[in-house]
Amino acid sequence: MRKVHVTAVGTSLLGNSSKDSNVKKVIDELGLENWERMSFNDDRQRKIADNFNRIKGVLLEYLRDKGQGGSAELDSLLSAMKRFGHSKEEVYVLMYTTNTWNSELAGEVIKDYLEEQGIHGEKTEISSISSEESFYEGINDLFDKVIKRIIKFKEEGDEVFINATPGLKPETTFLSLAGLLAGADSIYYKYQEFNNVVSLPSLPITITPKYLEWLIRFAESGYTLSNRRAKELGIPVHSLEIRSLAERKGEDAYRLREWARKIVDMYLPNGFHNYLPNGFHNETYKVVVEDKVEAEFQSEDDAYKFMEIKRKEGKKVRVETPDKVYFLGP
């Protein structure tokens, strides 16, 4: 049985190493000052990409010299291993970075350093967060690439420990909650103030039955419902919207968020889509543009994507299925 540690990778390594003479020389030469705070669309990200292996080598030498104190990720991870009595041989680390070159660089260096120390693992990449829209894209990515791996680890009999120390707070909060839903065993955090690792309360959590029922009923009738149809089904879409389980589409429609579908999927033994009533997937989704049927789809997602294209063109558009669901464009 492995002891799997799941951790975000931030850019503390880049900030900590900036005062090292060898690293500072490279930073000054390439104009990478404050690279730990570099935004995803900063033109200097390209400089990191073009000089990736060179910078990686200098940073790896820095970590070999500084060891655990070189980054927040290493400090919290290695401290937790000591706190829990985990040996290098039984530990496996799942790290995730954002799809930016500075985060990717930090992740690669830390992964290589851990391998040199005899600690094996893997690194995955999720979408960076730069707006409300990209936040939900990042959350979906986090679910697909991290939460599903936690589920797999648990199925294989591993123990899972979530490191809540590094990373963006919204991501870490979601990771902690979804991780507990997926069966994670412990969440830990290292307080720099008193240099100690604490194990946070990690009671098993579940979705309130009434919310699970509403979400399943929502899906049974289509992933997007008019307000009128939701009331007929007894689904309080406003409550789901407040909790970011659903989002408003147009003036009178609500759509179940992608990450909410993924969470519900964990609760259904045969998968979320297999739960839907017989014949549901055979529904024909008609895209009506300016009161004229323009296209038909068997997939609700395909129909919705087509509707969004037409809506952005400024056209009045909706998607219809008999007695089930319709979408309204603005």
Side-chain angles (χ1 to χ4, degrees):
M1 178 174 60
R2 296 179 297 182
K3 312 295 185 183
V4 178
H5 287 252
V6 180
T7 182
V9 176
T11 54
S12 65
L13 169 61
L14 306 188
N16 292 348
S17 66
S18 295
K19 295 179 182 179
D20 178 82
S21 58
N22 292 326
V23 177
K24 188 175 187 305
K25 181 179 179 181
V26 175
I27 291 175
D28 292 342
E29 178 186 334
L30 298 176
L32 297 176
E33 295 78 9
N34 300 316
W35 60 343
E36 73 276 14
R37 297 194 293 272
M38 198 180 294
S39 65
F40 78 100
N41 59 354
D42 192 310
D43 292 339
R44 295 177 299 162
Q45 292 278 6
R46 190 68 247 169
K47 288 187 178 181
I48 296 177
D50 293 341
N51 297 274
F52 194 88
N53 289 332
R54 177 192 173 195
I55 303 173
K56 177 182 172 181
V58 175
L59 287 174
L60 191 53
E61 284 297 329
Y62 167 80
L63 272 190
R64 289 169 181 155
D65 179 55
K66 292 294 182 181
Q68 180 173 334
S71 79
E73 296 80 9
L74 285 176
D75 188 30
S76 51
L77 170 64
L78 297 178
S79 295
M81 287 174 58
K82 182 178 180 180
R83 161 83 162 73
F84 298 129
H86 296 168
S87 67
K88 294 179 179 180
E89 292 74 22
E90 64 183 342
V91 166
Y92 188 84
V93 182
L94 172 60
M95 297 174 285
Y96 66 92
T97 67
T98 59
N99 57 347
T100 55
W101 282 108
N102 55 348
S103 178
E104 174 75 10
L105 175 65
E108 280 291 317
V109 175
I110 291 172
K111 181 176 182 298
D112 285 359
Y113 176 80
L114 288 173
E115 290 286 349
E116 289 182 354
Q117 301 302 309
I119 302 173
H120 301 298
E122 63 185 88
K123 182 177 68 64
T124 190
E125 178 185 288
I126 67 170
S127 301
S128 61
I129 295 174
S130 57
S131 64
E132 180 180 0
E133 182 178 354
S134 65
F135 171 78
Y136 290 108
E137 292 175 1
I139 290 300
N140 290 335
D141 225 13
L142 185 65
F143 199 103
D144 288 336
K145 297 176 180 177
V146 180
I147 301 301
K148 286 185 178 180
R149 290 289 288 133
I150 292 176
I151 295 173
K152 185 66 175 177
F153 289 135
K154 294 302 299 178
E155 289 175 349
E156 295 172 351
D158 299 322
E159 291 184 345
V160 177
F161 300 79
I162 295 176
N163 184 359
T165 312
L168 298 175
K169 292 301 179 281
E171 288 178 7
T172 305
T173 300
F174 179 83
L175 172 64
S176 299
L177 291 173
L180 289 174
L181 281 170
D185 297 276
S186 180
I187 300 172
Y188 62 87
Y189 184 90
K190 180 163 186 181
Y191 282 90
Q192 299 300 323
E193 289 81 359
F194 49 86
N195 195 34
N196 194 19
V197 171
V198 296
S199 183
L200 303 178
S202 304
L203 294 172
I205 61 176
T206 185
I207 299 177
T208 303
K210 67 178 181 180
Y211 276 91
L212 184 59
E213 179 184 350
W214 290 334
L215 293 174
I216 292 175
R217 196 182 304 167
F218 202 135
E220 286 178 341
S221 300
Y223 290 132
T224 305
L225 297 174
S226 68
N227 192 38
R228 176 187 59 80
R229 181 59 176 153
K231 287 181 179 179
E232 291 174 354
L233 294 170
I235 301 173
V237 286
H238 182 62
S239 293
L240 299 184
E241 182 185 16
I242 290 175
R243 289 163 175 78
S244 292
L245 297 169
E247 60 183 326
R248 186 183 293 270
K249 288 293 181 180
E251 296 180 358
D252 186 39
Y254 290 85
R255 179 175 172 82
L256 197 61
R257 286 195 182 275
E258 181 66 23
W259 73 267
R261 307 186 203 181
K262 296 176 187 294
I263 284 183
V264 173
D265 189 46
M266 293 193 302
Y267 283 80
L268 303 177
N270 297 317
F272 188 54
H273 297 286
N274 292 331
Y275 183 86
L276 299 178
N278 292 333
F280 179 79
H281 293 293
N282 293 324
E283 296 279 12
T284 298
Y285 295 86
K286 297 180 180 180
V287 182
V288 181
V289 182
E290 302 294 346
D291 295 323
K292 181 179 179 181
V293 175
E294 187 163 315
E296 295 185 4
F297 299 88
Q298 295 300 313
S299 164
E300 185 260 358
D301 281 333
D302 291 341
Y304 187 80
K305 289 175 183 177
F306 186 80
M307 186 204 77
E308 281 292 284
I309 292 173
K310 295 300 179 181
R311 184 183 65 80
K312 289 178 180 178
E313 292 176 358
K315 296 181 179 179
K316 182 180 179 181
V317 59
R318 66 181 183 274
V319 176
E320 298 179 346
T321 62
D323 301 321
K324 285 279 187 179
V325 54
Y326 59 86
F327 308 67
L328 296 178

